[in-house]
Amino acid sequence: MKQKRRAARPDGRPADPAPDPTPEAPMTEPTGTPPGPAPERPGPHPAAPGVPELRPMFPGAAPFLARFLPEAPPAHTGLQHAFCDLHAFLKYLHEQAWFGYLHATLGEQSAFALLFEGRAVTAAAATATGEQALGELLSLYEQGASLSAHPLPATLAHVLSGVGSRAWKFNLTEDFTGLHASPTGAVCYLRGEIIATLPASLPYEGAFPAPLRPQTLILPRSLAGWAHHQYTMTLRGRDALNAITGLHQTFRAQHGPAGLAFLRALGENLSPAEYALRSDVALHDLEVMVQDFVKNGHIREA
């Protein structure tokens, strides 16, 4: 039976009066003495009866995300660039609305990415996090890294989606979702409820709040320059948006409402990367459409 803590405090005591959900100050990677004093609250206690204690997959890892990834048998392992296109694999995971994490390793180098509904929402490598780390994972893969994919429950993927380059001094609220860590371990919360603990720690106390809706990472410009470009609508593109033209019917049959919305956004000077963020669309799906729009003369690069 899951354990409900009214104030979402790992020690069971009432929360501070009128908790402020706004992060006060970040504590950043790598490990070491965090900026500012840590809150004077005890760290998480051992798991209470009925609350599962997860085992870390990468104990002692330096990147925060890797440190808190739990053990999970791989659904796919040994994938390599020579026989598996990573963009096609990511597209497959997106179509499956897959939850879990990817681990790429090449020699002593590793990179990690957490996927939520098949979308990369946070990533970490030795010297980078977020978009840069996702780019490093792709780069390692293209250099010959071996890739494995480990599925996670959707709730746990959501909890971990806030783990990035910084932990926050944070008053845990009754509806807190995310990871809370200290020198004695970590606790996973979903809407104020403890759903799991993990014997992985930080040298200080801090929290990683999960976003209400995890946002898709966009590759850096060096790896996906096309996604950051502006495109100009051609006369043919304007005809494709005009419902009274025959071209509109042809375009709609091929690309559907999603393609029309994307073409319209490009005509309004949004880059594909900006549109992906606003519309919560996977960037690799947009790349195929951009290529087709350019090929068929609907748009051209500005």
Side-chain angles (χ1 to χ4, degrees):
M1 183 176 180
K2 293 182 179 177
Q3 181 184 18
K4 183 74 174 180
R5 302 290 179 88
R6 172 173 170 74
R9 287 281 295 272
D11 58 359
R13 294 185 293 135
D16 300 331
D20 180 7
T22 304
E24 298 173 10
M27 306 174 188
T28 58
E29 291 186 85
T31 58
T33 304
E40 295 183 0
R41 294 197 302 269
H45 288 178
V51 176
E53 182 175 30
L54 307 175
R55 295 168 59 89
M57 187 71 170
F58 308 98
F64 288 164
L65 176 61
R67 186 178 307 183
F68 298 113
L69 291 174
E71 281 189 352
H76 307 274
T77 188
L79 301 180
Q80 290 189 315
H81 179 67
F83 62 89
C84 179
D85 179 79
L86 185 55
H87 292 285
F89 182 57
L90 290 172
K91 181 176 177 61
Y92 166 77
L93 294 178
H94 183 252
E95 290 171 348
Q96 301 298 314
W98 190 82
F99 298 88
Y101 59 88
L102 305 180
H103 174 219
T105 178
L106 181 63
E108 296 183 355
Q109 301 179 78
S110 287
F112 311 84
L114 183 78
L115 271 60
F116 183 88
E117 296 177 344
R119 300 176 292 112
V121 295
T122 186
T127 59
T129 58
E131 296 171 354
Q132 294 297 328
L134 180 59
E136 189 161 329
L137 184 147
L138 292 173
S139 178
L140 284 177
Y141 189 72
E142 290 174 355
Q143 294 173 47
S146 177
L147 184 79
S148 57
H150 304 257
L152 291 176
T155 52
L156 192 55
H158 187 196
V159 166
L160 295 172
S161 66
V163 179
S165 63
R166 58 184 62 185
W168 299 90
K169 297 178 183 178
F170 198 82
N171 289 327
L172 300 177
T173 60
E174 290 187 351
D175 60 351
F176 176 76
T177 293
L179 185 87
H180 182 267
S182 76
T184 60
V187 177
C188 299
Y189 289 92
L190 184 68
R191 295 185 293 275
E193 182 177 313
I194 296 176
I195 62 169
T197 62
L198 191 72
S201 63
L202 294 179
Y204 47 83
E205 187 175 5
F208 298 92
L212 183 64
R213 171 76 176 160
Q215 201 169 53
T216 305
L217 292 178
I218 302 300
L219 286 174
R221 186 179 298 272
S222 59
L223 292 173
W226 66 269
H228 300 272
H229 292 165
Q230 298 291 329
Y231 296 87
T232 300
M233 183 83 68
T234 65
L235 178 60
R236 182 176 175 80
R238 287 193 289 271
D239 284 345
L241 294 176
N242 188 339
I244 66 172
T245 66
L247 183 58
H248 173 82
Q249 301 304 323
T250 302
F251 184 93
R252 186 182 183 89
Q254 181 177 358
H255 297 289
L260 286 168
F262 181 40
L263 181 61
R264 187 173 295 108
L266 295 177
E268 295 171 353
N269 296 321
L270 282 182
S271 70
E274 291 169 329
Y275 180 77
L277 287 175
R278 293 190 186 189
S279 305
D280 199 22
V281 177
L283 195 59
H284 50 260
D285 288 342
L286 297 182
E287 183 175 14
V288 176
M289 283 197 283
V290 166
Q291 292 172 348
D292 186 79
F293 294 173
V294 171
K295 178 182 176 181
N296 289 290
H298 298 111
I299 58 173
R300 62 173 180 271
E301 193 171 323

